[in-house]
Every structure is written in structure tokens, then in C-alpha cells.
Amino acid sequence: MSTPFPTLLPPPGPSVLAHPLPPSTSAPDPAIPPAFTEALSVRIAVYVDEQHCSLANEIDADDPRSWHWIVYASVSGPKSHNSSSSTPNFSNGPSSQPQDAAQASEQRRPSGVKLPVATVRLVPPPHALHPMPGSVDGVGGAWPASGNDERRSSADGPTAVHDGHEPYIKLGRLATLEEYRGLGLGKLLVTTTLEWAARNAEALRLKVGEGEGAGLEGEGVAKEREGVVREEGWKGLVLVHAQKGVQGFWRGVGFERDEGLGEWVEEGIVHVGMWRRVRLEGA
């Protein structure tokens, strides 16, 4: 097995919001990067097919502005879904024929086919407000009583980890096809993503002005008024909204749970907030 090397897809832009769901078998839209289709195929296989999350919610307003990483496996021989006789080799190149990963895993693959098998995305600031503890898909829940009556009214209130104002990046949509788990691909993707972020902090600056972030405002992102632009550098803070059942993985890559964010439910799965701070290159 060769060493896997994740491929980076820079923010693909608004064209991906028109991506058909499920992915179409017809000729792809040339405006949509093939690598995004391939990352999406992994996400659908894991979150929709395995975990029964909503297909309609798999693409969201963060996808156009996020950086995406994908790991590809070059299958060296015929493989069926139930066969483990083939030895995967990993590649950093996109496959020429994007396909649904769930279907691909059930098909016999000729030698040399490159299959997307793992992915993650990095979302720059700004972000929607954190979900309320006890909420279900954004409905209900409440913050614990505190001396701050304005807690999380227009900005995230402070916790033991986050002051409520410092810009942070967010990792999400981390997914690995079932038959490629146990190979360290998730850890590789997180490490690669955070190393890239540490080298490219300038690209992750918070820049908010009148009219910006409109696609997120309904989710609670406060927008600057009267054309005043707010700009602030990213200092290394990273958040994940982790499924409660995989906290151990995220602790293993350096994240710690923020008890102040509580627990909430998304797509029938309990989530918690976890943070890590990375040291910026040159800092």
C-alpha cells in the first residue's frame, strides 16, 4: 500500500449549490469541480446511506466557501463490496469518472480505478451561532441561566474555551468509506488540514461587511451594519461539532470538549462542541 496523500480543493464557489442530489449519472456540470462531486460521494455514502441523515441537507451554504480535502484509493484489482482480496493504493489525483461511492463499493472495479474514499472540509469564519443545548435540528433548547441576560443573543457568549468573539475555523463533514476505515485516513485528513491552516492563516481572516454572510444570517451570523467592515486575524482556534459517539477520535487528534456548549441533536445524532488551538507558522 502506498502512502495516502490528500488532495486540496479550494473554495469551489456557488456553482456547487446547484449540484444534483443524488448525484446525476448524466454529463456533469462543467462549473462544478469534479473533486467536489467525489468528496460529496463519500459524504453521501457515510452520512446519508449509513447514518440516515437527510440527503437534502448534505450540501449547505458553507460548501462554496470551504476548503475540501479528498483521499483517493487506486484499486489494484477487481473488487466487490464483500471482497477484501484487492489491495488499495492511495493517490492524490482525482478520478476521471465521478461516481456515487455507495454504488461504486458494490461494483467490480477494473485495475487502476481511483476511488474517493475519505474527505473533510475546513470552513472559515464567520459562523452561525452555536446550537442551543437540548435543541433538536435547531428547534427548542435553552442556555443555562447565567448572569449575562444577553448570552448568545447576537454573538456567541463566552465559555471556558472561547471568549465568544475570537474568530475560529471549523472542521466538518469528515467521512471515510466503511471498507477503508482503520487505516488512519481520518487522522491524516485532520492533521493535513490543520497543518495547511497553520501555514495559511492570512487566507482565514475574518472579513465581514455590509451584505457579506447573507447566506448565513438566517442561521444567526451577525452582519456588520452601515457598511462598516470588521476584519480580524485568525489566531489558531479550531472548532468541531462532533458526534458524541466519536469524541474519542477527536480527543486523539488534540481536541477537548467544551462543556459550556452542552449537547444538542442534529439529524437524530447527539453532538458536542470540541476545540483545539494550533500554533500558526511564523507566530
Side-chain angles (χ1 to χ4, degrees), residues 86-254:
S86 300
T87 301
N89 291 307
F90 291 96
S91 166
N92 67 333
S95 68
S96 59
Q97 296 294 328
Q99 56 183 317
D100 180 89
Q103 293 176 348
S105 66
E106 297 174 356
Q107 297 173 350
R108 298 177 66 83
R109 307 182 187 113
S111 176
V113 170
K114 290 182 174 65
L115 177 75
V117 298
T119 189
V120 71
R121 76 179 185 187
L122 181 160
V123 189
H127 300 282
L129 300 183
H130 300 302
M132 285 190 176
S135 63
V136 177
D137 294 329
V139 178
W143 292 104
S146 72
N148 183 359
D149 293 335
E150 296 182 357
R151 182 177 174 86
R152 292 176 173 81
S153 58
S154 62
D156 282 318
T159 70
V161 181
H162 186 224
D163 64 6
H165 298 285
E166 180 183 345
Y168 59 88
I169 63 174
K170 185 177 177 183
L171 301 190
R173 297 300 201 272
L174 177 63
T176 302
L177 295 186
E178 183 177 11
E179 58 265 48
Y180 291 91
R181 293 172 195 162
L183 302 176
L185 300 184
K187 182 178 181 179
L188 172 70
L189 280 167
V190 172
T191 300
T192 300
T193 300
L194 295 184
E195 288 177 350
W196 178 91
R199 296 191 305 268
N200 293 275
E202 187 63 26
L204 302 172
R205 294 181 66 85
L206 172 65
K207 298 178 182 179
V208 180
E210 185 175 23
E212 287 200 43
L216 298 174
E217 190 177 14
E219 300 179 60
V221 171
K223 187 172 62 176
E224 296 293 318
R225 303 298 180 185
E226 299 179 357
V228 177
V229 174
R230 179 166 70 94
E231 182 171 346
E232 186 175 349
W234 176 63
K235 302 173 184 177
L237 192 60
V238 188
L239 171 70
V240 293
H241 285 173
Q243 295 184 9
K244 186 177 180 180
V246 295
Q247 290 179 85
F249 167 82
W250 289 104
R251 282 195 296 268
V253 291

Side-chain angles (χ1 to χ4, degrees), residues 37-128:
T37 298
E38 295 176 330
L40 183 63
S41 73
V42 178
R43 288 161 41 172
I44 290 174
V46 174
Y47 292 113
V48 178
D49 297 342
E50 280 190 52
Q51 300 185 8
H52 308 294
C53 298
S54 169
L55 176 63
N57 294 336
E58 188 48 47
I59 298 175
D60 64 18
D62 283 333
D63 275 320
R65 66 192 191 98
S66 296
W67 283 262
H68 304 258
W69 280 260
I70 309 102
V71 173
Y72 299 87
S74 180
V75 181
S76 59
K79 178 175 179 177
S80 66
H81 180 65
N82 295 319
S83 170
S84 58
S85 60
S86 300
T87 301
N89 291 307
F90 291 96
S91 166
N92 67 333
S95 68
S96 59
Q97 296 294 328
Q99 56 183 317
D100 180 89
Q103 293 176 348
S105 66
E106 297 174 356
Q107 297 173 350
R108 298 177 66 83
R109 307 182 187 113
S111 176
V113 170
K114 290 182 174 65
L115 177 75
V117 298
T119 189
V120 71
R121 76 179 185 187
L122 181 160
V123 189
H127 300 282

